[in-house]
Amino acid sequence: MIWYRRNAAVTTLVDTATSAGSAAGSMAGSMAGSMVSTAGSALSTAGSVAGAAGSVAGAAANTVLQPLVFDPLRRLQQGVGGSEGTPINDAERLWVAVDGMGGDVAPGPILEGCLKAVQLLPLRVKFVAEASAVEAAVAELDLGDALAAAQQEGLLELVPSGVSVGMNEEATVVRKKRDASINLAMDLVKEGAATAVYSAGNSGAVMASAIFRLGRLKGIDRPAIGALFPTKDPEQQVLVLDVGANMDSKPAYLHQWALLGNIYSRDVLQVAQPRIGLLNIGEEECKGNELALKTYPLMAEERRFQFAGNCEGRDVLSGDFDVVVCDGFTGNVLLKFLESVGSVLLDVLKAELPRGRRGKVGSAFLISNLRRIKKRLDHAEHGGALLLGVNGVCVIGHGSSKALSVVSALRLAHSAANHRVMDDLQRLSAEAGDAAESAVACG
């Protein structure tokens, strides 16, 4: 509020000067009617100059004072940097397979997001969808020119599919609908025609298709969905897994997810030595339910990552942990809670802003910043979550994903593929296979 008061004080002086200049112009115009035309013209010109000078002064003051209002919040607007704004080398583009029929509003907004992504990110898209649905969406959203241009430049390729998997269908339906868009997209990754796959469709079906088509990594009993949460540091994110793939978990599962999260945090997020935390109700080793009590010693004895101990709910966004592991039920509750925080915070701040003219001016200055803060706290704005533990890069988007969310999700998919995270995950898988063979031989 300090910056606002300073701005108001100086702006008031400037507005006074502006009003005086305008008044001078009006007076000069009225006097011109009773004088000689030449003199009236001169006075009118003088009044206009005075008014213009006042306006220029007001604009100059606002230009100088505006940073004083925005600077304190500017750091909060910063997130993990993307590739936008930099020249794209076509030779460095990676192919990403997109399930065009996945999502509540597919395929139109999904296609629109892909068309934006190929212009902003170093990737190419194989868009897998039902041909008739794509034609209807292109006509409805007027995407014909953009689609034709992307196809001509070799940035987007349409891949026709069969009947898609509905958002409310059982996950096992992917076995019956073999030519569904999600299955064909997974096949593109399996065949090496794409380096990653993205779908905003039925998360259970996406996971089932990934397991059936790509397969699990050796040593990983259950794949987990890992979501990136914001922290109080705009430059840092925390990977939380599992956030919904496995409602009932075993200690061995959480231990395996910690290994997966450690590799992803190190390779993609560029954290030299990720700090792994176990979500619990207290910091002490003796706290928690049976799952937490049995998981703690497995994590503490592991030498392949740095176990930082139990992580309480209040510490998830603190920045003290780089990876937080929990069962899918708890993680999904945490995820859904975080999704609501941004909108609730914005509503509270709006309600608490001063009333009257001063409140309107303050709101005008802060509203864009508050919306950015909301987006930082809203997981849906980050595009998607990673399915870790399958033999390929797979990103699951929010069911209601629109164009901007698709761009964010494709950035995440590209980042994982570009950092070759699968190489290290496959090495982990190979180590697990060797250990299992040694155990059998010794037995």
Side-chain angles (χ1 to χ4, degrees):
M1 191 58 69
I2 294 175
W3 298 278
Y4 169 72
R5 286 173 181 169
R6 288 180 181 174
N7 183 67
V10 182
T11 303
T12 299
L13 295 176
V14 174
D15 288 343
T16 301
T18 304
S19 299
S22 299
S26 299
M27 185 178 295
S30 63
M31 291 176 64
S34 61
M35 293 184 173
V36 183
S37 59
T38 304
S41 177
L43 286 172
S44 179
T45 301
S48 299
V49 171
S55 300
V56 171
N62 286 332
T63 300
V64 172
L65 293 171
Q66 191 168 341
L68 294 176
V69 178
F70 284 102
D71 275 349
L73 295 177
R74 181 167 292 151
R75 181 169 174 77
L76 294 179
Q77 301 168 13
Q78 299 171 356
V80 177
S83 302
E84 297 94 335
T86 58
I88 298 177
N89 183 357
D90 286 343
E92 297 177 354
R93 290 182 181 271
L94 301 178
W95 280 103
V96 176
V98 173
D99 171 17
M101 301 304 298
D104 298 327
V105 292
I110 308 298
L111 177 58
E112 184 180 5
C114 290
L115 291 173
K116 290 181 179 179
V118 296
Q119 298 299 327
L120 298 173
L121 304 169
L123 52 79
R124 304 177 195 271
V125 169
K126 290 183 181 291
F127 193 81
V128 187
E130 298 174 32
S132 58
V134 172
E135 291 177 5
V138 169
E140 180 183 356
L141 299 178
D142 193 22
L143 299 175
D145 293 341
L147 176 59
Q151 289 179 300
Q152 186 175 3
E153 295 174 24
L155 301 180
L156 188 143
E157 178 183 325
L158 294 179
V159 180
S161 71
V163 178
S164 60
V165 175
M167 294 295 286
N168 298 320
E169 292 189 270
E170 293 291 332
T172 53
V173 76
V174 296
R175 286 189 166 181
K176 298 178 181 178
K177 298 182 177 181
R178 296 182 180 276
D179 59 348
S181 56
I182 183 58
N183 283 333
L184 297 187
M186 291 291 178
D187 286 342
L188 290 172
V189 175
K190 183 178 181 179
E191 297 163 1
T195 57
V197 60
Y198 163 74
S199 175
N202 182 325
S203 57
V206 175
M207 183 172 174
S209 180
I211 293 174
F212 295 149
R213 302 282 172 147
L214 302 179
R216 287 193 297 263
L217 292 172
K218 291 182 180 179
I220 304 299
D221 295 319
R222 295 285 183 85
I225 299 176
L228 293 173
F229 286 18
T231 68
K232 61 183 181 181
D233 182 356
E235 302 298 333
Q236 180 186 354
Q237 291 178 304
V238 57
L239 177 66
V240 180
L241 71 168
D242 177 27
V243 295
N246 306 275
M247 295 301 102
D248 298 308
S249 303
K250 298 179 181 180
Y253 298 169
L254 271 66
H255 175 232
Q256 294 166 9
W257 299 339
L259 290 168
L260 296 174
N262 179 66
I263 290 176
Y264 181 86
S265 181
R266 187 187 65 207
D267 289 1
V268 180
L269 301 182
Q270 300 294 293
V271 180
Q273 193 170 18
R275 297 158 296 177
I276 314 295
L278 174 63
L279 190 63
N280 207 334
I281 61 171
E283 297 180 358
E284 298 82 4
E285 181 179 352
C286 60
K287 292 287 184 69
N289 56 14
E290 184 178 0
L291 176 62
L293 292 173
K294 290 184 177 181
T295 302
Y296 191 99
L298 291 178
M299 306 273 276
E301 295 169 6
E302 180 59 63
R303 294 294 175 263
R304 286 174 287 183
F305 57 72
Q306 178 186 354
F307 180 51
N310 286 331
C311 171
E312 295 186 74
R314 65 188 177 192
D315 297 323
V316 173
L317 308 183
S318 67
D320 295 335
F321 296 88
D322 300 296
V323 178
V324 174
V325 179
C326 60
D327 64 275
F329 182 89
T330 305
N332 193 261
V333 171
L334 187 63
L335 174 66
K336 297 296 175 58
F337 174 77
L338 181 63
E339 287 179 354
S340 71
V341 170
S343 57
V344 171
L345 176 61
L346 185 60
D347 291 340
V348 170
L349 289 173
K350 283 180 179 179
E352 292 299 323
L353 285 173
R355 305 293 180 181
R357 183 183 301 176
R358 181 200 246 172
K360 290 181 180 178
V361 174
S363 300
F365 278 124
L366 295 176
I367 192 64
S368 61
N369 303 82
L370 296 178
R371 285 173 177 161
R372 290 189 182 97
I373 295 173
K374 172 183 176 292
K375 289 183 178 182
R376 279 195 59 213
L377 295 176
D378 188 351
H379 176 263
E381 296 289 342
H382 294 275
L386 293 151
L387 181 59
L388 296 173
V390 295
N391 194 18
V393 176
C394 181
V395 175
I396 301 176
H398 199 280
S400 59
S401 293
K402 300 293 180 64
L404 291 179
S405 294
V406 173
V407 174
S408 297
L410 292 179
R411 181 192 293 112
L412 179 62
H414 174 270
S415 179
N418 190 50
H419 286 88
R420 306 184 70 84
V421 66
M422 286 309 304
D423 291 349
D424 282 341
L425 290 175
Q426 286 168 351
R427 275 194 287 271
L428 175 67
S429 177
E431 291 173 4
D434 293 341
E437 291 177 3
S438 299
V440 172
C442 294

